[in-house]
């Protein structure tokens, strides 16, 4: 059935078209990309639900969950207590995930597990598929092959807002991805204004409290254009951790951060890194309350973020996890790929291409050289 409008149109919040388009561009979100190509009236209910979910700070419950073969009853019987314990605390598992874009084979058999309570970093050279794997974990992109298991249950396809208990997964985009035409209050409360039955004044109160938890006060009525880069990232973080307090059961939440400190100065980076720690269940937010995030994953290039915000690292290279270990093991690793990446050396197994275009005068004809 074709729905006349998506949430954005009947929403109490009035998001401009150009805002939606720039949101889609900055997040690279496939739903929004496909959404751009639809006229509003050609978006069906299912797409409308997905778009609403993605737009709402990308907090998405998993859908279409069926038990994975590997932890079916037969296997459970054969598992030792230790193995069983090992499986039971796994929140997200990527199993042999492949993803290509046209001829570009980006992920070529990525496997890893994210356990309850973990703070994991994903690092690796540019273009190696770090953001892609985050989007696959969040349910915004579907793998071509392989499986994503959420608490041991296989997720089919992409997210929707079907209520299936399990795990809330939030994605904090690198660009902050705020709607420019909405105030900070509307951006942070977007999910609740759109999807909850909470009265507006209660949402406003919760927004203020959540902003305070990320160290922001009195900015509710500002527009994103009136904020610094670091403040925008904090608003995006607030948008990701806010949830409907009227719901009975609050599911644990995993937050996925895509380069949360990119473009920030060292001090602003430290603020964001500490904030990431503070909203984790092992941390304490700016109001002194324990954080609510069960586990998180951070894609980053920043050494400070690796050191300060995560405990365990996955190193992605040429479409696979080539190394994993604790953060303190990173700099002493003997893996040549890790050593080269850690030192920033040009010599080593990591291939890169720097093309120098020399003038016709210098070489007779213009040539590209790979260094
Ligand atoms: N939707 C898409 N369509 C086509 N190509 C894509 C798409 N998304 C990502 N890519 C390509 O896939 C590759 C991996 O992109 P991705 O953003 O996942 O890498 P990354 O490791 O996060 O890079 P960086 O560290 O530079 O941010 C890049 O070559 C990118 O251009």
């Amino acid at each position: 059935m074709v729905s006349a409008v998506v949430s954005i149109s009947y929403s109490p919040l009035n998001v401009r078209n150009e805002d939606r388009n720039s949101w889609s561009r900055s997040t690279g979100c496939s739903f929004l990309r496909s959404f751009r190509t639809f006229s509003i009236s050609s978006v069906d209910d299912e797409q409308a639900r997905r778009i609403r979910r993605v737009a709402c700070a990308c907090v998405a419950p998993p859908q279409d969950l069926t038990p994975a073969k590997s932890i079916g009853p037969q296997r459970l019987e054969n598992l030792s207590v230790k193995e069983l314990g090992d499986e039971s605390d796994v929140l997200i598992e990527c199993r042999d995930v492949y993803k290509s874009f046209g001829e570009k084979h980006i992920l070529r058999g990525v496997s890893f597990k994210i356990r309850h309570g973990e703070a994991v970093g994903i690092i690796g050279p540019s273009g190696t598929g770090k953001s892609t794997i985050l989007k696959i974990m969040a349910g915004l992109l579907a793998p071509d092959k392989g499986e994503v298991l959420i608490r041991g249950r296989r997720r089919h396809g992409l997210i929707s807002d079907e209520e299936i208990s399990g795990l809330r997964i939030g994605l904090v985009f690198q660009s902050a991805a705020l709607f420019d035409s909405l105030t900070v209050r509307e951006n942070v409360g977007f999910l609740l204004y759109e999807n909850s039955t909470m009265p507006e004044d209660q949402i406003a109160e919760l927004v203020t409290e959540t902003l305070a938890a990320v160290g922001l006060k009195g900015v509710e009525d500002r527009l994103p254009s009136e904020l610094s880069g670091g403040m925008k990232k904090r608003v995006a973080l607030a948008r990701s951790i806010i949830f409907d307090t009227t719901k009975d059961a609050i599911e644990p939440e995993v937050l996925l951060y895509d380069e949360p400190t990119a473009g920030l100065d060292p001090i602003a980076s430290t603020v964001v890194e500490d904030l990431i720690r503070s909203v984790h269940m092992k941390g304490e937010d700016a109001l002194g309350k324990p954080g609510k995030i069960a586990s998180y994953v951070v894609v980053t290039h920043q050494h400070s973020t690796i050191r300060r915000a995560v405990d365990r690292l996955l190193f992605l290279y040429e479409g696979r996890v080539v190394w994993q270990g604790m953060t303190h093991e990173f700099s002493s690793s003997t893996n040549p790929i890790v050593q080269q990446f850690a030192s920033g050396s040009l010599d080593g197994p990591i291939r890169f291409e720097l093309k120098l275009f020399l003038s016709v005068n210098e070489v007779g004809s213009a040539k590209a050289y790979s260094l």
Side-chain angles (χ1 to χ4, degrees):
M1 179 189 152
V2 172
S3 153
V5 283
V6 296
S7 63
I8 285 165
S9 301
Y10 62 71
S11 157
L13 306 176
N14 187 18
V15 183
R16 291 191 318 241
N17 266 347
E18 57 267 35
D19 239 16
R20 271 179 265 158
N21 292 341
S22 82
W23 191 93
S24 169
R25 275 194 303 276
S26 68
T27 60
C29 172
S30 58
F31 297 147
L32 270 286
R33 185 170 298 123
S34 59
F35 167 62
R36 267 197 301 168
T37 65
F38 287 106
S39 68
I40 295 289
S41 60
S42 68
V43 176
D44 66 26
D45 281 346
E46 175 59 16
Q47 285 159 339
R49 272 200 302 276
R50 286 179 175 175
I51 290 162
R52 183 160 61 238
R53 264 294 170 192
V54 176
C56 295
C58 293
V59 175
Q63 60 139 9
D64 287 350
L65 301 178
T66 53
K69 275 190 211 123
S70 57
I71 60 160
Q74 188 61 45
R75 182 160 182 271
L76 283 177
E77 272 174 22
N78 298 331
L79 285 174
S80 68
V81 172
K82 182 169 184 307
E83 279 177 308
L84 198 58
D86 282 349
E87 290 300 324
S88 67
D89 69 349
V90 175
L91 297 182
I92 302 179
E93 177 177 359
C94 288
R95 198 180 282 175
D96 208 21
V97 166
Y98 284 72
K99 183 75 190 175
S100 299
F101 297 106
E103 293 300 302
K104 288 192 279 187
H105 304 296
I106 304 302
L107 303 178
R108 289 182 269 176
V110 172
S111 297
F112 60 82
K113 295 173 181 176
I114 305 297
R115 292 173 187 280
H116 192 269
E118 278 202 304
V120 177
I122 299 183
I123 55 173
S126 284
T128 204
K130 302 180 296 296
S131 301
T132 301
I133 195 69
L134 274 200
K135 286 178 189 164
I136 287 175
M137 289 164 78
L140 303 180
L141 273 181
D144 298 336
K145 208 176 118 190
E147 293 170 348
V148 179
L149 293 99
I150 309 295
R151 294 187 130 188
R153 288 169 166 255
R154 189 179 306 124
R155 180 171 60 209
H156 293 296
L158 304 173
I159 53 168
S160 79
D161 58 357
E162 276 174 52
E163 285 301 330
I164 295 176
S165 73
L167 191 67
R168 300 194 313 145
I169 302 177
L171 177 56
V172 183
F173 290 103
Q174 177 176 354
S175 59
L178 303 177
F179 290 118
D180 291 337
S181 54
L182 299 185
T183 63
V184 167
R185 178 182 297 107
E186 290 165 338
N187 266 289
V188 173
F190 197 95
L191 178 68
L192 304 179
Y193 287 118
E194 289 288 311
N195 285 315
S196 79
T197 52
M198 286 174 79
E200 288 198 14
D201 55 345
Q202 208 176 328
I203 296 175
E205 214 173 283
L206 194 56
V207 167
T208 299
E209 195 183 304
T210 311
L211 282 169
V214 299
L216 286 178
K217 282 187 182 157
V219 297
E220 288 87 336
D221 294 319
R222 290 202 208 169
L223 290 170
S225 57
E226 297 170 305
L227 304 176
S228 71
M231 288 164 93
K232 281 185 195 165
K233 285 185 192 273
R234 284 200 262 171
V235 171
L237 180 56
R239 185 175 59 175
S240 297
I241 61 174
I242 200 165
F243 60 86
D244 188 345
T245 50
T246 60
K247 281 192 176 171
D248 291 343
I250 302 299
E251 296 160 348
E253 184 172 351
V254 174
L255 266 193
L256 311 173
Y257 299 92
D258 195 356
E259 300 201 35
T261 50
L264 297 183
D265 69 52
I267 294 170
S269 291
T270 304
V271 170
V272 171
E273 286 150 7
D274 288 353
L275 215 47
I276 290 172
R277 284 275 188 209
S278 74
V279 297
H280 187 220
M281 56 184 254
K282 294 177 183 167
E284 210 176 64
D285 70 21
L287 301 172
K289 294 185 185 163
K292 298 187 179 80
I293 304 303
S295 308
Y296 60 84
V297 179
V298 183
V299 162
T300 185
H301 286 294
Q302 308 259 97
H303 281 266
S304 68
T305 309
I306 294 171
R307 277 196 313 272
R308 210 171 171 95
V310 299
D311 301 324
R312 188 164 74 86
L313 290 170
L314 303 170
F315 194 106
L316 208 57
Y317 179 58
E318 296 198 324
R320 290 190 187 88
V321 175
V322 293
W323 179 87
Q324 48 184 308
M326 302 310 285
T327 310
H328 63 85
E329 294 167 332
F330 176 63
S331 48
S332 58
S333 167
T334 54
N335 181 316
I337 297 173
V338 175
Q339 281 183 337
Q340 184 187 354
F341 192 78
S343 67
S345 167
L346 300 184
D347 299 320
I350 298 178
R351 291 195 293 270
F352 62 97
E353 207 173 58
L354 176 61
K355 289 183 175 169
L356 289 182
F357 290 92
L358 303 181
S359 71
V360 174
N361 285 345
E362 282 171 296
V363 291
S365 63
K367 286 182 180 171
Y369 288 82
S370 293
L371 297 181

